[in-house]
Amino acid sequence: MLDIKNLSICFSSYSIGLKKRHVQAIQSLDLSVDKKEVLAVVGQSGAGKSLLAHALLGILPRNASLSGDLIFKGKAMTPKEMARLRGREIALIPQSMTYLNPLLKVGVQISRAAELSGVSPKSSWKATLEALQRYRLEEKIARKFPFQLSGGMARRILTATATIGGADLILADEPTNGLDQATAGETLGHLRGLADAGKAVLLITHDIEAALSIADRVTVFCGGVTVEEAHASDFNGPGKLRHPYSRALWDALPANGFVGSLPGRTPFSTMGGCPFVLFCEKSTTCCEDSLPGIKNLDQGRVRCHHA
């Protein structure tokens, strides 16, 4: 359903003296996701993962430049096409309830989302009530303001708003952020249910353990670069993981005893080499000089000179 090839996103800004500088936020990103599939994009916070969702929706800031191929249902995603797809065939579940309008009752917001996605005004309220019922919310919730909702209710409202129009591709940006374990599990269950019903779900998160509970495949993001694509089952132990960064992420999980160590934030690649080069025990001169192409290996894909 969605194919991304060699996606790069660069931001330009001006420093003191009006000197223009460029920051490469995403470089050489490749991934694909099909219907009935949950693809998790994982990596540390600040790795550039959320920019992927913004790029697909066509809502990057003006100082961003984008290159590469974005293909949705076999058709190139031009800016005009992104605007047409946004909210209709591609929907975003944002990471924070601050995306809800604090001055409007949630039922009105869901109803408006339904109309924007193509539901007729006469049918939008009925669709709103059906959406609330689908996520086990009572009708009276429609008359509440966002501040009157619990975190779990707000998350379900965001999910209902994003999915009410029947979008085929769901972008879930850090959907478990700030939620307790029970609510997070419920939220992930909703996403898995959407995939099982025929949707394609792109799950963007730094919580690997949560992602593995529902994902079919995992794309590992490091410093704005895709370093590995693997089946979720490859994360049952470090032996099947192909890239040193993926193994470090796995080792650093609480369930694995925090064996590994990671920097607080992996820097974006500015010299053209691997973004993990400063922290990798296997790094050599070639890792500093050039970013390797992504290659097939053991039923997965990896971007590493030494794999």
Side-chain angles (χ1 to χ4, degrees):
M1 184 179 294
L2 174 69
D3 289 292
I4 300 176
K5 299 177 181 179
N6 200 32
L7 174 67
S8 294
I9 299 175
C10 181
F11 290 90
S12 60
S13 62
Y14 291 89
S15 59
I16 297 175
L18 296 180
K19 185 176 181 180
K20 194 172 185 179
R21 60 190 294 266
H22 299 279
V23 176
Q24 191 77 44
I26 290 180
Q27 181 180 359
S28 303
L29 185 150
D30 295 89
L31 62 81
S32 63
V33 58
D34 208 344
K35 61 182 180 179
K36 293 190 175 183
E37 182 179 39
V38 176
L39 175 69
V41 178
V42 303
Q44 291 169 274
S45 297
K49 303 184 301 298
S50 294
L51 287 175
L52 172 59
H54 296 168
L56 291 172
L57 293 169
I59 56 175
L60 289 171
R62 291 186 177 181
N63 66 327
S65 59
L66 182 151
S67 63
D69 298 319
L70 300 177
I71 309 296
F72 181 69
K73 294 183 177 179
K75 189 174 182 179
M77 295 177 66
T78 62
K80 183 177 180 180
E81 184 69 4
M82 289 178 184
R84 184 187 71 81
L85 295 171
R86 187 167 58 236
R88 295 175 175 83
E89 295 187 52
I90 301 177
L92 172 68
I93 303 176
Q95 59 179 286
S96 172
M97 67 179 293
T98 57
Y99 282 80
L100 293 171
N101 189 329
L103 303 179
L104 289 178
K105 295 179 180 179
V106 296
V108 174
Q109 298 189 55
I110 298 174
S111 182
R112 285 187 176 182
E115 292 178 23
L116 288 172
S117 67
V119 178
S120 69
K122 290 183 178 180
S123 303
S124 63
W125 188 249
K126 179 182 178 182
T128 296
L129 298 180
E130 291 175 350
L132 291 173
Q133 184 179 25
R134 186 181 311 123
Y135 293 103
R136 296 189 286 109
L137 293 169
E138 298 178 11
E139 182 177 340
K140 64 181 181 181
I141 298 298
R143 297 187 290 274
K144 292 185 178 293
F145 290 94
F147 75 89
Q148 296 175 300
L149 304 176
S150 66
M153 285 183 178
R155 177 58 59 189
R156 280 181 275 175
I157 291 295
L158 289 169
T159 304
T161 303
T163 59
I164 192 169
D168 291 324
L169 174 62
I170 308 297
L171 311 176
D173 188 7
E174 298 285 4
T176 61
N177 193 28
L179 299 181
D180 60 76
Q181 187 174 1
T183 306
E186 181 182 43
T187 299
L188 292 169
H190 290 322
L191 294 176
R192 183 68 256 180
L194 289 169
D196 293 340
K199 311 292 184 185
V201 176
L202 189 63
L203 171 60
I204 300 169
T205 182
H206 68 276
D207 190 341
I208 300 177
E209 290 181 296
L212 293 176
S213 68
I214 65 165
D216 299 294
R217 293 186 296 117
V218 178
T219 290
V220 181
F221 223 47
C222 176
V225 176
T226 301
V227 295
E228 181 166 354
E229 291 183 11
H231 293 283
S233 58
D234 291 349
F235 284 81
N236 290 334
K240 293 184 178 181
L241 298 176
R242 302 155 189 83
H243 197 278
Y245 178 70
S246 304
R247 292 193 290 269
L249 277 179
W250 174 258
D251 290 340
L253 293 178
N256 297 325
F258 301 103
V259 175
S261 61
L262 286 169
R265 179 173 176 175
T266 306
F268 293 112
S269 178
T270 57
M271 302 299 291
C274 176
F276 196 56
V277 63
L278 297 178
F279 315 99
C280 181
E281 295 179 353
K282 293 184 177 180
S283 65
T284 58
T285 303
C286 66
C287 301
E288 299 176 4
D289 296 339
S290 64
L291 182 68
I294 195 162
K295 60 185 178 183
N296 296 326
L297 181 65
D298 297 333
Q299 298 183 330
R301 301 210 295 170
V302 63
R303 190 187 300 276
C304 180
H305 286 296
H306 305 292

